[in-house]
Amino acid sequence: MVQGVLQESLLDQVLYTNDALVSSVKLLSNLGKSDHRSLKIELGILLAKPISGQTVLKKPAWSKVSTNDILNYSLKNVDWNYSSEEIDSDMMYNELLEKLGHITDIVPLSRFDSNNRPLNLPWSNSRLKRMRKNKDLAWNNFSQSPTRENYSYAFIKDK
């Protein structure tokens, strides 16, 4: 707010080099009582594929669901009453866990490899992978043969 007038400000920026990468941009509603709004950006990129024989783990991606969606879903679809007023605390805890488990039904899953690394790397593309590979090869070459020329070449590839 500047001199009593509400003004929009941009806290984060979305940087991209190719218009075709951004499929859609949506301005979402305010977060609670805050005046901050969220951007939902869908990128049109290829996702990493698991290596043959690699174990793929799927975990909930909570950051992809808004708080409003979670609250609306839980209010409409979860019965928050306990099965009886005469149950012990362990049974109450188990029932609560089951109720919270139903909320994860609306959360999309992200894929991870067996080392807990995400398989969907939106910032990674074939150009960056080639650059990383060339950099690693240059530093490995310097490690095997530490000459001034190999160091200079590796240093250039590191930038």
Side-chain angles (χ1 to χ4, degrees):
M1 191 169 278
V2 177
Q3 297 178 345
V5 177
L6 182 64
Q7 296 183 346
E8 291 187 13
S9 63
L10 187 62
L11 296 178
D12 290 316
Q13 297 178 357
V14 179
L15 304 175
Y16 57 94
T17 57
N18 184 341
D19 288 340
L21 291 177
V22 180
S23 300
S24 70
V25 177
K26 292 180 184 174
L27 188 60
L28 303 178
S29 61
N30 293 4
L31 300 172
K33 292 185 178 184
S34 171
D35 62 348
H36 295 122
R37 297 178 78 179
S38 297
L39 285 175
K40 181 178 181 180
I41 300 166
E42 292 183 15
L43 301 175
I45 58 173
L46 294 175
L47 302 176
K49 294 180 181 175
I51 299 168
S52 177
Q54 183 181 38
T55 303
V56 177
L57 307 171
K58 294 185 178 183
K59 299 179 181 180
W62 288 97
S63 61
K64 295 182 180 180
V65 182
S66 73
T67 306
N68 285 343
D69 290 341
I70 293 171
L71 288 174
N72 288 335
Y73 180 84
S74 64
L75 290 173
K76 291 177 185 174
N77 299 302
V78 178
D79 178 16
W80 290 102
N81 296 317
Y82 288 106
S83 59
S84 169
E85 290 185 15
E86 291 141 16
I87 59 175
D88 64 8
S89 60
D90 286 336
M91 289 182 72
M92 289 175 98
Y93 176 74
N94 289 334
E95 281 189 31
L96 180 61
L97 282 179
E98 186 178 327
K99 294 171 193 308
L100 292 174
H102 289 299
I103 294 173
T104 62
D105 293 345
I106 66 164
V107 180
L109 298 176
S110 289
R111 301 173 333 136
F112 293 83
D113 67 11
S114 55
N115 294 322
N116 206 30
R117 290 183 300 229
L119 291 173
N120 307 349
L121 302 173
W123 58 86
S124 184
N125 58 39
S126 60
R127 180 173 164 257
L128 287 175
K129 289 177 185 176
R130 278 193 308 275
M131 290 172 62
R132 281 194 302 267
K133 183 178 179 181
N134 290 336
K135 179 187 82 163
D136 291 343
L137 288 171
W139 282 113
N140 285 338
N141 189 29
F142 171 72
S143 294
Q144 293 173 359
S145 177
T147 65
R148 183 173 295 190
E149 292 81 20
N150 287 345
Y151 174 78
S152 296
Y153 184 72
F155 186 76
I156 290 169
K157 289 292 183 183
D158 205 11
K159 291 185 178 182

